[in-house]
């Protein structure tokens, strides 16, 4: 009996000490079955703060590595009533994770349903509602539901109190206008964002705003204005203390497009073709549509024909998985 009790205490201690998100993610990255094994190992632990933290890590890591089976099983465990005394926000957190899981697997309609349902569980949590609305916006934008996406941003802006959230909302509003084809409005918004971010020092925010500003100018054919900002954007890229290759390559493509439009020549056309030929790795950064627009802007038949097979062959894609609907049904359809 003593040995059994000591073992029980040891298991609880392990559960309390084990949840280190960084270490957990590292182990999961090295072993794709790690989270599933941990779930099976610890799913019968009695209720405690440590056990809850462990299962929360299992769930969030399963979402991150796109393991729908373990994520849903873990989520179903977390929403059980026996955890009521440990957490009163877990339903909204689980639904947010489920929405991310649906998005990873390109089931955007169900992602929106998960976020909308989560809003009812986060009625008294303003910051959580902002997070859910911003995630909802991402799925709506993917589906081209620009009016709905704009409404989500409007609601988030009304609720946001954190300066980082407010800044993210402004960035997303400008990006949405860029996607929707309102290039002039997007340009004005990105000019302000770029100036504000640059005044705070070099950051990825400044680089992203600057590149989006240059993009909006190209899409409007405002090539002279492109040169007004290009050096500042390029310097911000060079000053970044993190990996900047994809940012710089995006800039190089835009510069080659502008050069080819302003000073058309075989040399410039070859440069554009060469840059676009090797650009498809940027699809993973959400730039697929921009790159295709650049091909249309150049509008040289041999360039279009040259880059088409590369773009078709190298289109960024990842295998999607089936996400069980058990969590959505249990939390949102009862």
């Amino acid at each position: 009996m003593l040995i059994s009790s000591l073992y029980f205490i040891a298991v609880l201690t392990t559960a309390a000490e084990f949840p280190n998100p960084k270490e957990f993610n590292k182990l999961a990255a090295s072993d794709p079955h790690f989270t599933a094994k941990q779930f099976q190992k610890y799913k019968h632990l009695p209720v405690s703060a440590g056990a809850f933290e462990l299962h929360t890590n299992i769930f969030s890591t399963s979402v991150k590595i796109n393991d729908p089976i373990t994520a849903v099983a873990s989520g179903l465990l977390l929403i059980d009533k026996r955890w009521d005394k440990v957490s009163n926000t877990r339903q909204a957190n689980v639904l947010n994770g489920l929405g991310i899981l649906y998005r990873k697997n390109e089931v955007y309609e169900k992602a929106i349903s998960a976020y909308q349902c989560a809003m009812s569980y986060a009625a008294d949590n303003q910051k959580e509602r902002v997070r859910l609305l911003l995630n909802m916006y991402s799925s709506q934008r993917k589906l081209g539901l620009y009016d709905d996406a704009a409404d989500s941003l409007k609601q988030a802006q009304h609720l946001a109190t954190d300066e980082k959230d407010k800044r993210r909302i402004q960035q997303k509003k400008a990006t949405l206008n860029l996607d929707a084809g309102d290039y002039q409005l997007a340009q004005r918004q990105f000019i302000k964002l770029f100036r504000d971010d640059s005044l705070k020092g070099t950051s990825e925010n400044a680089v992203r705003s600057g590149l989006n500003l240059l993009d909006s100018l190209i899409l409007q054919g405002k090539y002279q204005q492109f040169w007004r900002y290009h050096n500042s954007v390029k310097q911000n890229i060079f000053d970044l203390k993190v990996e900047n290759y994809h940012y710089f390559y995006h800039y190089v493509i835009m510069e080659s497009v502008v050069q080819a439009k302003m000073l058309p020549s075989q040399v410039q056309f070859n440069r554009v073709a060469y840059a676009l030929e090797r650009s498809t790795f940027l699809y993973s950064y959400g730039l697929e549509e921009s790159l295709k627009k650049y091909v249309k802007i150049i509008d040289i038949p041999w360039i279009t024909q040259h880059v088409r097979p590369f773009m078709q062959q190298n289109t960024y894609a990842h295998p999607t998985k089936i996400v069980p609907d058990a969590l959505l049904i249990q939390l949102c359809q009862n």
Side-chain angles (χ1 to χ4, degrees):
M1 184 68 179
L2 178 59
I3 293 175
S4 176
S5 297
L6 289 173
Y7 174 76
F8 180 71
I9 292 170
V11 170
L12 284 181
T13 302
T14 300
E17 293 178 351
F18 190 82
N20 178 325
K22 187 175 181 179
E23 183 65 20
F24 204 101
N25 289 334
K26 183 179 177 182
L27 292 167
S30 63
D31 177 4
H33 304 294
F34 174 75
T35 50
K37 288 186 287 189
Q38 295 305 306
F39 175 71
Q40 292 300 324
K41 181 177 179 180
Y42 290 113
K43 66 180 180 180
H44 297 299
L45 280 177
V47 173
S48 72
F52 180 78
E53 190 176 351
L54 171 61
H55 285 298
T56 299
N57 276 341
I58 291 172
F59 173 75
S60 60
T61 305
S62 299
V63 169
K64 185 174 182 178
I65 66 174
N66 197 17
D67 177 1
I69 302 301
T70 303
V72 171
S74 177
L76 287 169
L77 183 148
L78 286 169
I79 66 171
D80 191 276
K81 289 184 178 180
R82 68 179 183 270
W83 301 100
D84 282 350
K85 293 183 178 179
V86 180
S87 170
N88 60 3
T89 61
R90 66 195 188 285
Q91 291 93 341
N93 289 333
V94 166
L95 282 166
N96 182 60
L98 179 65
I100 294 170
L101 200 60
Y102 280 131
R103 276 169 52 201
K104 281 178 178 284
N105 294 286
E106 299 176 6
V107 191
Y108 300 113
E109 295 88 348
K110 287 184 179 177
I112 292 170
S113 296
Y115 296 132
Q116 288 173 333
C117 179
M119 292 287 285
S120 64
Y121 287 98
D124 299 323
N125 190 330
Q126 202 162 309
K127 188 168 181 62
E128 180 66 17
R129 288 171 71 83
V130 170
R131 179 172 72 145
L132 291 166
L133 285 164
L134 293 182
N135 282 339
M136 197 185 308
Y137 147 87
S138 296
S139 293
Q140 291 163 333
R141 180 185 161 206
K142 277 287 187 181
L143 292 172
L145 303 173
Y146 298 131
D147 289 342
D148 291 344
D151 185 61
S152 293
L153 291 179
K154 185 177 179 181
Q155 291 182 59
Q157 188 172 26
H158 178 70
L159 292 170
T161 56
D162 183 84
E163 288 303 316
K164 287 185 179 179
D165 285 340
K166 290 179 180 179
R167 195 263 169 209
R168 287 177 64 205
I169 292 166
Q170 293 303 317
Q171 178 75 42
K172 290 179 185 299
K173 285 174 69 176
T175 303
L176 184 63
N177 287 323
L178 194 63
D179 285 352
D182 196 343
Y183 303 138
Q184 193 167 359
L185 177 56
Q187 175 194 333
R188 292 198 300 268
Q189 291 169 323
F190 282 125
I191 285 174
K192 184 178 186 308
L193 285 164
F194 180 58
R195 286 174 176 168
D196 290 348
D197 291 333
S198 297
L199 286 172
K200 296 174 184 175
T202 300
S203 69
E204 286 196 79
N205 284 336
V207 169
R208 293 189 188 110
S209 296
L211 289 171
N212 281 325
L213 168 58
L214 296 180
D215 194 29
S216 71
L217 294 171
I218 291 175
L219 293 172
Q220 294 176 84
K222 295 181 177 179
Y223 304 127
Q224 292 289 355
Q225 288 192 47
F226 175 93
W227 299 115
R228 185 185 305 171
Y229 295 101
H230 84 108
N231 268 334
S232 297
V233 175
K234 186 162 57 174
Q235 190 59 54
N236 271 312
I237 294 172
F238 289 154
D239 288 343
L240 271 183
K241 304 247 184 326
V242 297
E243 177 57 56
N244 65 3
Y245 177 72
H246 60 287
Y247 293 127
F248 183 65
Y249 201 80
H250 186 198
Y251 167 78
V252 167
I253 293 169
M254 288 193 286
E255 184 191 73
S256 69
V257 169
V258 173
Q259 295 261 22
K261 293 299 289 185
M262 295 187 74
L263 299 168
S265 69
Q266 191 61 42
V267 171
Q268 297 299 343
F269 293 150
N270 287 340
R271 185 182 178 212
V272 172
Y274 181 86
L276 288 170
E277 175 187 320
R278 288 158 177 78
S279 69
T280 50
F281 76 96
L282 293 174
Y283 287 3
S284 62
Y285 297 95
L287 295 173
E288 180 175 356
E289 292 306 314
S290 286
L291 296 174
K292 290 179 177 178
K293 287 176 183 176
Y294 298 155
V295 176
K296 291 180 180 179
I297 288 170
I298 292 298
D299 194 27
I300 302 294
W302 76 261
I303 293 180
T304 303
Q305 292 170 8
H306 176 78
V307 302
R308 183 182 293 122
F310 293 99
M311 290 190 161
Q312 290 175 339
Q313 179 180 355
N314 297 307
T315 297
Y316 173 75
H318 61 275
T320 57
K321 301 177 181 179
I322 295 174
V323 182
D325 292 331
L327 269 172
L328 195 63
I329 292 170
Q330 186 149 332
L331 283 171
C332 306
Q333 297 182 18
N334 286 343

